[in-house]
Amino acid sequence: MKRTIARGRPAFTLIELLVVVAIIALLISILLPALRDAREQAKVARCLANFRNLNVAATTYFSEHNDQFPFLVTYGVGWMGICSWAYGGKTSSDYWKTDHGGVFFITAQQRPFNPFLVSGSIEPDLYEGDKIVKRTEIEALRCPSDRESAMQNWENNPGALPISSYDDIGTSYRYNLFALIDVEWNGKRDPWTSPGSWSERGQLLVRQVLLKHASTYTMFMDDAMIRGINNRLPLVGLHGRLNKHTVGFLDGHSAYVTADTRGYCGPDWVAINPEWIKGFGYTPRPAHYFDWLRKNCNPPRK
């Protein structure tokens, strides 16, 4: 009679199991950052596509409005201000209904770029009584990495809840106003008391930078870059890297640039009109200029 001997299956020892677990953990630690980077690069690509659409809309608007950009808001009779998000986007958050008398509460229907950014007409927001329960989305102006707005903090609102720039002011991408603010007119009329001078200054800016700086002048910036330049500090951009920001240039191209926001200019970008900079001892004074101590294209101080 033939006898057989039963044998059990070979099994992992505890040490072998721990080695396998350690290898898997190591692979995950190596691959996860790469996967995160890949996802973020996809978001960067989305932002750059948004900027390209925005640039096309701006070019079309300029051609139809004599190079004038829609950044003006009316505070009262004969008194105007400027706003970096009036051009396009969804309706501002409810916070802006009361700030400065509600002048920065701008609906999607009031923003002139929106018809160029969406196909078809702009649907009205959905109201229940006097409360907006659903805003019309303008996806072309939403950055997928936009998580926190700077604007309410600038308005001395420390109790503000975290909110994306898109959900706060209607857009993740703001028009560059640094080149217009604090420009001295050498005797010409004051923009704060002369309503037409803001639009004239904006028109002159566009025409001057088109001649020499169209490929480097940052017409649109993401919210983080605006915040960094305003505070003269280096900041992590919306896509998670220090001094890396998405911008749209006046000539129509967009890029993910390295931008040291301690200054107003970099090797391949400028946030002000270099033709308006007043250097030390410069005479005669140009018709429009910045005070060289405040705004210039010199490298930022360490």
Side-chain angles (χ1 to χ4, degrees):
M1 182 176 175
K2 195 174 190 180
R3 292 191 301 175
T4 58
I5 300 175
R7 297 190 180 185
R9 292 184 189 175
F12 284 113
T13 66
L14 179 59
I15 293 178
E16 290 172 327
L17 184 60
L18 291 175
V19 168
V20 171
V21 171
I23 292 173
I24 292 173
L26 179 61
L27 290 174
I28 291 174
S29 68
I30 294 172
L31 293 175
L32 274 183
L35 290 174
R36 281 196 298 268
D37 287 346
R39 283 196 297 267
E40 200 58 50
Q41 284 303 312
K43 293 177 181 179
V44 170
R46 167 75 180 277
C47 271
L48 295 180
N50 288 347
F51 273 113
R52 286 191 287 271
N53 292 333
L54 183 51
N55 288 335
V56 170
T59 301
T60 305
Y61 189 90
F62 281 144
S63 67
E64 295 181 1
H65 293 83
N66 199 24
D67 297 333
Q68 291 188 353
F69 192 90
F71 55 79
L72 300 177
V73 287
T74 303
Y75 278 72
V77 178
W79 206 86
M80 266 186 191
I82 52 179
C83 177
S84 60
W85 65 86
Y87 71 90
K90 71 175 182 177
T91 301
S92 310
S93 69
D94 289 345
Y95 169 82
W96 300 102
K97 285 182 176 181
T98 56
D99 183 85
H100 286 81
V103 68
F104 298 119
F105 181 77
I106 307 167
T107 68
Q109 289 74 33
Q110 293 173 315
R111 303 189 185 208
F113 274 27
N114 284 352
F116 301 109
L117 295 170
V118 302
S119 56
S121 60
I122 309 300
E123 294 184 4
D125 299 324
L126 181 62
Y127 280 80
E128 287 184 0
D130 60 353
K131 182 179 180 181
I132 301 176
V133 294
K134 187 177 186 303
R135 285 167 165 76
T136 298
E137 303 294 338
I138 309 295
E139 292 293 339
L141 296 185
R142 183 207 294 264
C143 170
S145 295
D146 179 5
R147 298 179 184 87
E148 184 179 357
S149 172
M151 281 310 305
Q152 289 192 28
N153 292 331
W154 282 350
E155 294 295 315
N156 297 317
N157 183 27
L161 296 174
I163 186 174
S164 70
S165 177
Y166 175 74
D167 288 329
D168 183 22
I169 59 176
T171 174
S172 303
Y173 318 118
R174 290 160 59 192
Y175 183 63
N176 173 18
L177 293 176
F178 292 113
L180 293 172
I181 297 172
D182 299 327
V183 176
E184 298 188 35
W185 275 58
N186 197 12
K188 296 197 175 185
R189 64 179 186 261
D190 181 359
W192 296 108
T193 57
S194 303
S197 60
W198 273 124
S199 56
E200 289 173 2
R201 181 182 298 186
Q203 183 187 57
L204 179 63
L205 169 71
V206 168
R207 291 177 175 175
Q208 286 196 352
V209 292
L210 266 174
L211 292 176
K212 294 184 181 180
H213 310 285
S215 64
T216 55
Y217 180 75
T218 52
M219 185 164 56
F220 298 102
M221 305 177 186
D222 63 34
D223 185 66
M225 187 169 177
I226 293 273
R227 192 185 324 168
I229 294 176
N230 184 76
N231 296 326
R232 306 302 298 276
L233 293 171
L235 282 185
V236 173
L238 295 183
H239 298 285
R241 297 200 172 185
L242 181 66
N243 287 336
K244 292 286 286 187
H245 303 280
T246 47
V247 297
F249 293 95
L250 184 59
D251 69 351
H253 84 282
S254 58
Y256 187 39
V257 301
T258 299
D260 186 340
T261 49
R262 291 175 298 170
Y264 289 96
C265 310
D268 53 0
W269 65 278
V270 294
I272 55 178
N273 181 2
E275 307 306 309
W276 288 357
I277 296 171
K278 177 178 180 290
F280 179 73
Y282 182 85
T283 54
R285 224 164 46 178
H288 307 86
Y289 64 93
F290 296 111
D291 183 331
W292 71 280
L293 290 173
R294 288 178 294 160
K295 289 188 176 181
N296 58 66
C297 279
N298 297 333
R301 295 176 181 176
K302 300 291 186 182

CSV table of all heavy atoms in Angstrom, one decimal, residues 182-223:
chain,number,residue,atom,x,y,z
A,182,ASP,N,-0.5,105.3,-8.0
A,182,ASP,CA,0.6,106.1,-7.6
A,182,ASP,C,1.4,106.7,-8.8
A,182,ASP,O,2.6,107.1,-8.6
A,182,ASP,CB,1.6,105.4,-6.7
A,182,ASP,CG,0.9,104.9,-5.4
A,182,ASP,OD1,0.0,105.6,-5.0
A,182,ASP,OD2,1.3,103.8,-4.9
A,183,VAL,N,0.8,106.8,-10.0
A,183,VAL,CA,1.5,107.4,-11.1
A,183,VAL,C,1.3,108.9,-10.9
A,183,VAL,O,0.2,109.4,-10.7
A,183,VAL,CB,0.9,107.0,-12.4
A,183,VAL,CG1,1.6,107.8,-13.6
A,183,VAL,CG2,1.1,105.5,-12.6
A,184,GLU,N,2.4,109.7,-11.0
A,184,GLU,CA,2.3,111.1,-10.9
A,184,GLU,C,2.1,111.7,-12.3
A,184,GLU,O,2.8,111.2,-13.3
A,184,GLU,CB,3.5,111.7,-10.2
A,184,GLU,CG,3.6,111.2,-8.8
A,184,GLU,CD,4.7,111.9,-8.0
A,184,GLU,OE1,4.9,113.1,-8.3
A,184,GLU,OE2,5.3,111.3,-7.2
A,185,TRP,N,1.3,112.7,-12.5
A,185,TRP,CA,1.0,113.2,-13.8
A,185,TRP,C,1.7,114.5,-14.2
A,185,TRP,O,1.4,115.1,-15.2
A,185,TRP,CB,-0.6,113.4,-13.9
A,185,TRP,CG,-1.2,112.1,-14.3
A,185,TRP,CD1,-1.2,110.9,-13.6
A,185,TRP,CD2,-2.1,111.9,-15.4
A,185,TRP,NE1,-1.9,110.0,-14.3
A,185,TRP,CE2,-2.5,110.5,-15.4
A,185,TRP,CE3,-2.5,112.7,-16.5
A,185,TRP,CZ2,-3.3,110.0,-16.3
A,185,TRP,CZ3,-3.3,112.1,-17.4
A,185,TRP,CH2,-3.7,110.8,-17.3
A,186,ASN,N,2.6,114.9,-13.4
A,186,ASN,CA,3.4,116.1,-13.7
A,186,ASN,C,2.5,117.3,-14.0
A,186,ASN,O,2.6,117.9,-15.1
A,186,ASN,CB,4.3,115.8,-14.8
A,186,ASN,CG,5.4,116.9,-14.9
A,186,ASN,OD1,5.6,117.7,-14.0
A,186,ASN,ND2,6.2,116.8,-16.0
A,187,GLY,N,1.5,117.6,-13.1
A,187,GLY,CA,0.7,118.7,-13.3
A,187,GLY,C,-0.6,118.5,-14.0
A,187,GLY,O,-1.5,119.3,-14.0
A,188,LYS,N,-0.8,117.2,-14.5
A,188,LYS,CA,-2.1,116.9,-15.2
A,188,LYS,C,-3.1,116.6,-14.1
A,188,LYS,O,-2.9,116.4,-12.9
A,188,LYS,CB,-1.9,115.8,-16.1
A,188,LYS,CG,-1.0,116.1,-17.3
A,188,LYS,CD,-1.2,115.2,-18.4
A,188,LYS,CE,-0.3,115.6,-19.6
A,188,LYS,NZ,-0.6,114.8,-20.8
A,189,ARG,N,-4.4,116.5,-14.5
A,189,ARG,CA,-5.5,116.5,-13.6
A,189,ARG,C,-5.4,115.2,-12.7
A,189,ARG,O,-5.0,114.1,-13.2
A,189,ARG,CB,-6.8,116.6,-14.3
A,189,ARG,CG,-7.2,115.6,-15.3
A,189,ARG,CD,-8.6,115.9,-15.8
A,189,ARG,NE,-9.1,114.9,-16.7
A,189,ARG,CZ,-9.1,114.9,-18.0
A,189,ARG,NH1,-8.5,115.9,-18.6
A,189,ARG,NH2,-9.6,114.0,-18.7
A,190,ASP,N,-5.9,115.3,-11.5
A,190,ASP,CA,-5.9,114.2,-10.5
A,190,ASP,C,-7.0,113.2,-10.9
A,190,ASP,O,-8.2,113.6,-11.0
A,190,ASP,CB,-6.2,114.8,-9.2
A,190,ASP,CG,-6.1,113.7,-8.1
A,190,ASP,OD1,-6.0,112.6,-8.4
A,190,ASP,OD2,-6.3,114.1,-6.9
A,191,PRO,N,-6.7,111.9,-11.0
A,191,PRO,CA,-7.7,110.9,-11.3
A,191,PRO,C,-8.8,110.8,-10.3
A,191,PRO,O,-9.9,110.3,-10.6
A,191,PRO,CB,-6.9,109.6,-11.5
A,191,PRO,CG,-5.7,109.8,-10.7
A,191,PRO,CD,-5.4,111.3,-10.8
A,192,TRP,N,-8.5,111.1,-9.0
A,192,TRP,CA,-9.5,110.9,-8.0
A,192,TRP,C,-10.6,111.9,-8.0
A,192,TRP,O,-11.7,111.8,-7.5
A,192,TRP,CB,-8.8,110.9,-6.6
A,192,TRP,CG,-7.8,109.8,-6.4
A,192,TRP,CD1,-6.5,109.9,-6.4
A,192,TRP,CD2,-8.2,108.4,-6.2
A,192,TRP,NE1,-5.9,108.6,-6.2
A,192,TRP,CE2,-6.9,107.7,-6.1
A,192,TRP,CE3,-9.3,107.7,-6.2
A,192,TRP,CZ2,-6.9,106.3,-6.0
A,192,TRP,CZ3,-9.3,106.3,-6.0
A,192,TRP,CH2,-8.1,105.7,-5.9
A,193,THR,N,-10.3,113.1,-8.6
A,193,THR,CA,-11.3,114.1,-8.8
A,193,THR,C,-11.7,114.3,-10.2
A,193,THR,O,-12.7,115.0,-10.4
A,193,THR,CB,-10.8,115.5,-8.2
A,193,THR,OG1,-9.5,115.8,-8.9
A,193,THR,CG2,-10.4,115.3,-6.7
A,194,SER,N,-11.0,113.8,-11.2
A,194,SER,CA,-11.4,113.9,-12.6
A,194,SER,C,-11.7,112.5,-13.1
A,194,SER,O,-10.8,111.7,-13.4
A,194,SER,CB,-10.3,114.5,-13.4
A,194,SER,OG,-9.9,115.8,-12.8
A,195,PRO,N,-13.0,112.2,-13.2
A,195,PRO,CA,-13.4,110.8,-13.6
A,195,PRO,C,-12.8,110.3,-14.9
A,195,PRO,O,-12.4,109.1,-15.0
A,195,PRO,CB,-14.9,110.9,-13.8
A,195,PRO,CG,-15.3,112.1,-12.9
A,195,PRO,CD,-14.2,113.0,-13.0
A,196,GLY,N,-12.6,111.2,-15.9
A,196,GLY,CA,-12.0,110.7,-17.2
A,196,GLY,C,-10.6,110.3,-17.1
A,196,GLY,O,-10.1,109.5,-18.0
A,197,SER,N,-9.8,110.8,-16.1
A,197,SER,CA,-8.4,110.6,-16.2
A,197,SER,C,-7.9,109.2,-15.9
A,197,SER,O,-6.9,108.7,-16.3
A,197,SER,CB,-7.7,111.6,-15.2
A,197,SER,OG,-8.1,111.3,-13.9
A,198,TRP,N,-8.7,108.4,-15.1
A,198,TRP,CA,-8.4,107.0,-14.9
A,198,TRP,C,-8.4,106.2,-16.2
A,198,TRP,O,-7.5,105.5,-16.5
A,198,TRP,CB,-9.4,106.3,-13.9
A,198,TRP,CG,-9.1,106.5,-12.5
A,198,TRP,CD1,-9.9,107.0,-11.5
A,198,TRP,CD2,-7.9,106.1,-11.8
A,198,TRP,NE1,-9.3,106.9,-10.3
A,198,TRP,CE2,-8.1,106.4,-10.4
A,198,TRP,CE3,-6.7,105.5,-12.2
A,198,TRP,CZ2,-7.1,106.1,-9.5
A,198,TRP,CZ3,-5.7,105.2,-11.3
A,198,TRP,CH2,-5.9,105.5,-9.9
A,199,SER,N,-9.5,106.4,-17.0
A,199,SER,CA,-9.6,105.7,-18.3
A,199,SER,C,-8.5,106.2,-19.2
A,199,SER,O,-7.9,105.4,-20.0
A,199,SER,CB,-11.0,105.8,-18.9
A,199,SER,OG,-11.3,107.2,-19.0
A,200,GLU,N,-8.2,107.5,-19.2
A,200,GLU,CA,-7.1,108.0,-20.1
A,200,GLU,C,-5.8,107.4,-19.7
A,200,GLU,O,-5.0,107.0,-20.6
A,200,GLU,CB,-7.1,109.5,-20.0
A,200,GLU,CG,-8.2,110.2,-20.6
A,200,GLU,CD,-8.2,111.7,-20.3
A,200,GLU,OE1,-7.3,112.2,-19.6
A,200,GLU,OE2,-9.2,112.4,-20.7
A,201,ARG,N,-5.5,107.3,-18.4
A,201,ARG,CA,-4.3,106.7,-18.0
A,201,ARG,C,-4.2,105.3,-18.4
A,201,ARG,O,-3.1,104.8,-18.8
A,201,ARG,CB,-4.2,106.9,-16.5
A,201,ARG,CG,-2.9,106.3,-15.9
A,201,ARG,CD,-2.9,106.5,-14.4
A,201,ARG,NE,-3.0,107.8,-13.9
A,201,ARG,CZ,-2.9,108.2,-12.6
A,201,ARG,NH1,-2.7,107.3,-11.7
A,201,ARG,NH2,-2.9,109.5,-12.3
A,202,GLY,N,-5.2,104.5,-18.2
A,202,GLY,CA,-5.2,103.1,-18.6
A,202,GLY,C,-5.0,102.9,-20.1
A,202,GLY,O,-4.3,102.0,-20.5
A,203,GLN,N,-5.7,103.8,-20.9
A,203,GLN,CA,-5.5,103.7,-22.3
A,203,GLN,C,-4.1,104.0,-22.7
A,203,GLN,O,-3.5,103.3,-23.5
A,203,GLN,CB,-6.4,104.7,-23.0
A,203,GLN,CG,-6.4,104.7,-24.5
A,203,GLN,CD,-7.3,105.8,-25.1
A,203,GLN,OE1,-7.0,107.0,-24.8
A,203,GLN,NE2,-8.2,105.4,-25.9
A,204,LEU,N,-3.5,105.0,-22.1
A,204,LEU,CA,-2.1,105.4,-22.4
A,204,LEU,C,-1.1,104.3,-22.0
A,204,LEU,O,-0.2,103.9,-22.7
A,204,LEU,CB,-1.7,106.7,-21.7
A,204,LEU,CG,-0.3,107.2,-21.9
A,204,LEU,CD1,0.0,107.5,-23.4
A,204,LEU,CD2,0.0,108.4,-21.0
A,205,LEU,N,-1.4,103.6,-20.9
A,205,LEU,CA,-0.6,102.5,-20.4
A,205,LEU,C,-0.5,101.4,-21.4
A,205,LEU,O,0.5,100.9,-21.8
A,205,LEU,CB,-1.1,102.0,-19.1
A,205,LEU,CG,-0.5,100.7,-18.6
A,205,LEU,CD1,1.0,100.9,-18.2
A,205,LEU,CD2,-1.3,100.1,-17.4
A,206,VAL,N,-1.7,101.0,-21.9
A,206,VAL,CA,-1.8,99.9,-22.8
A,206,VAL,C,-1.1,100.2,-24.1
A,206,VAL,O,-0.3,99.4,-24.6
A,206,VAL,CB,-3.3,99.6,-23.1
A,206,VAL,CG1,-3.4,98.6,-24.3
A,206,VAL,CG2,-4.0,98.9,-21.9
A,207,ARG,N,-1.2,101.4,-24.6
A,207,ARG,CA,-0.6,101.8,-25.8
A,207,ARG,C,0.9,101.9,-25.7
A,207,ARG,O,1.7,101.5,-26.6
A,207,ARG,CB,-1.2,103.1,-26.4
A,207,ARG,CG,-2.6,102.9,-26.8
A,207,ARG,CD,-3.2,104.2,-27.3
A,207,ARG,NE,-4.6,104.0,-27.8
A,207,ARG,CZ,-5.4,105.0,-28.2
A,207,ARG,NH1,-5.0,106.2,-28.1
A,207,ARG,NH2,-6.6,104.7,-28.7
A,208,GLN,N,1.4,102.3,-24.6
A,208,GLN,CA,2.9,102.4,-24.4
A,208,GLN,C,3.5,101.1,-24.2
A,208,GLN,O,4.6,100.8,-24.8
A,208,GLN,CB,3.2,103.4,-23.2
A,208,GLN,CG,3.0,104.8,-23.5
A,208,GLN,CD,3.6,105.7,-22.5
A,208,GLN,OE1,4.2,105.3,-21.5
A,208,GLN,NE2,3.6,107.0,-22.8
A,209,VAL,N,2.9,100.2,-23.4
A,209,VAL,CA,3.6,98.9,-23.1
A,209,VAL,C,3.4,98.0,-24.3
A,209,VAL,O,4.2,97.1,-24.5
A,209,VAL,CB,3.0,98.2,-21.9
A,209,VAL,CG1,3.4,99.0,-20.6
A,209,VAL,CG2,1.5,98.0,-21.9
A,210,LEU,N,2.4,98.2,-25.2
A,210,LEU,CA,2.3,97.5,-26.4
A,210,LEU,C,3.5,97.7,-27.3
A,210,LEU,O,4.0,96.7,-28.0
A,210,LEU,CB,1.0,97.8,-27.2
A,210,LEU,CG,-0.2,97.0,-26.9
A,210,LEU,CD1,-1.4,97.6,-27.7
A,210,LEU,CD2,0.0,95.6,-27.4
A,211,LEU,N,4.1,98.9,-27.3
A,211,LEU,CA,5.2,99.2,-28.2
A,211,LEU,C,6.5,98.5,-27.9
A,211,LEU,O,7.2,98.0,-28.7
A,211,LEU,CB,5.4,100.7,-28.2
A,211,LEU,CG,4.3,101.6,-28.8
A,211,LEU,CD1,4.7,103.0,-28.7
A,211,LEU,CD2,4.1,101.2,-30.3
A,212,LYS,N,6.8,98.4,-26.5
A,212,LYS,CA,8.1,97.8,-26.1
A,212,LYS,C,8.0,96.6,-25.2
A,212,LYS,O,9.0,95.9,-25.1
A,212,LYS,CB,8.9,98.9,-25.5
A,212,LYS,CG,9.3,100.1,-26.4
A,212,LYS,CD,10.2,101.1,-25.6
A,212,LYS,CE,10.6,102.2,-26.5
A,212,LYS,NZ,11.4,103.2,-25.7
A,213,HIS,N,6.9,96.5,-24.5
A,213,HIS,CA,6.9,95.5,-23.4
A,213,HIS,C,5.7,94.5,-23.5
A,213,HIS,O,5.3,93.9,-22.4
A,213,HIS,CB,6.9,96.2,-22.1
A,213,HIS,CG,7.9,97.3,-21.9
A,213,HIS,ND1,9.3,97.0,-21.7
A,213,HIS,CD2,7.9,98.6,-22.0
A,213,HIS,CE1,10.0,98.1,-21.7
A,213,HIS,NE2,9.1,99.1,-21.9
A,214,ALA,N,5.1,94.4,-24.6
A,214,ALA,CA,3.9,93.5,-24.7
A,214,ALA,C,4.1,92.1,-24.3
A,214,ALA,O,3.3,91.5,-23.7
A,214,ALA,CB,3.4,93.6,-26.2
A,215,SER,N,5.4,91.6,-24.5
A,215,SER,CA,5.6,90.2,-24.2
A,215,SER,C,6.0,89.9,-22.8
A,215,SER,O,6.1,88.8,-22.3
A,215,SER,CB,6.7,89.6,-25.1
A,215,SER,OG,8.0,90.3,-24.9
A,216,THR,N,6.2,91.0,-22.0
A,216,THR,CA,6.6,90.9,-20.6
A,216,THR,C,5.7,91.6,-19.6
A,216,THR,O,5.7,91.4,-18.4
A,216,THR,CB,8.0,91.5,-20.4
A,216,THR,OG1,8.1,92.9,-20.8
A,216,THR,CG2,9.1,90.7,-21.1
A,217,TYR,N,4.8,92.5,-20.2
A,217,TYR,CA,3.8,93.2,-19.3
A,217,TYR,C,2.7,92.2,-18.8
A,217,TYR,O,2.0,91.7,-19.6
A,217,TYR,CB,3.3,94.4,-20.0
A,217,TYR,CG,2.3,95.1,-19.1
A,217,TYR,CD1,2.8,95.9,-18.0
A,217,TYR,CD2,0.9,95.0,-19.2
A,217,TYR,CE1,1.9,96.6,-17.2
A,217,TYR,CE2,0.1,95.7,-18.4
A,217,TYR,CZ,0.6,96.5,-17.4
A,217,TYR,OH,-0.3,97.1,-16.5
A,218,THR,N,2.6,92.1,-17.5
A,218,THR,CA,1.6,91.2,-16.9
A,218,THR,C,0.3,91.8,-16.8
A,218,THR,O,0.0,92.5,-15.8
A,218,THR,CB,2.1,90.7,-15.5
A,218,THR,OG1,2.4,91.9,-14.7
A,218,THR,CG2,3.4,89.8,-15.7
A,219,MET,N,-0.6,91.6,-17.8
A,219,MET,CA,-1.9,92.2,-17.7
A,219,MET,C,-2.8,91.6,-16.7
A,219,MET,O,-3.6,92.3,-16.0
A,219,MET,CB,-2.6,92.1,-19.1
A,219,MET,CG,-3.9,92.9,-19.2
A,219,MET,SD,-4.4,93.1,-20.9
A,219,MET,CE,-4.4,91.5,-21.6
A,220,PHE,N,-2.7,90.3,-16.5
A,220,PHE,CA,-3.4,89.5,-15.5
A,220,PHE,C,-2.5,88.7,-14.7
A,220,PHE,O,-1.5,88.2,-15.2
A,220,PHE,CB,-4.5,88.6,-16.2
A,220,PHE,CG,-5.5,89.3,-17.0
A,220,PHE,CD1,-5.4,89.4,-18.4
A,220,PHE,CD2,-6.6,90.0,-16.4
A,220,PHE,CE1,-6.4,90.0,-19.1
A,220,PHE,CE2,-7.5,90.6,-17.1
A,220,PHE,CZ,-7.4,90.7,-18.5
A,221,MET,N,-2.8,88.6,-13.4
A,221,MET,CA,-2.0,87.8,-12.4
A,221,MET,C,-2.9,87.0,-11.6
A,221,MET,O,-4.1,87.3,-11.4
A,221,MET,CB,-1.2,88.7,-11.5
A,221,MET,CG,-0.3,89.7,-12.1
A,221,MET,SD,0.5,90.7,-10.8
A,221,MET,CE,1.4,91.9,-11.8
A,222,ASP,N,-2.4,85.8,-11.1
A,222,ASP,CA,-3.2,85.1,-10.1
A,222,ASP,C,-3.2,85.9,-8.8
A,222,ASP,O,-2.4,86.7,-8.5
A,222,ASP,CB,-2.8,83.6,-10.0
A,222,ASP,CG,-1.3,83.5,-9.4
A,222,ASP,OD1,-0.9,84.3,-8.6
A,222,ASP,OD2,-0.7,82.5,-9.8
A,223,ASP,N,-4.2,85.5,-7.9
A,223,ASP,CA,-4.4,86.3,-6.7
A,223,ASP,C,-3.1,86.3,-5.8
A,223,ASP,O,-2.8,87.3,-5.1
A,223,ASP,CB,-5.6,85.6,-6.0
A,223,ASP,CG,-5.9,86.4,-4.7
A,223,ASP,OD1,-6.4,87.6,-4.8
A,223,ASP,OD2,-5.8,85.9,-3.6
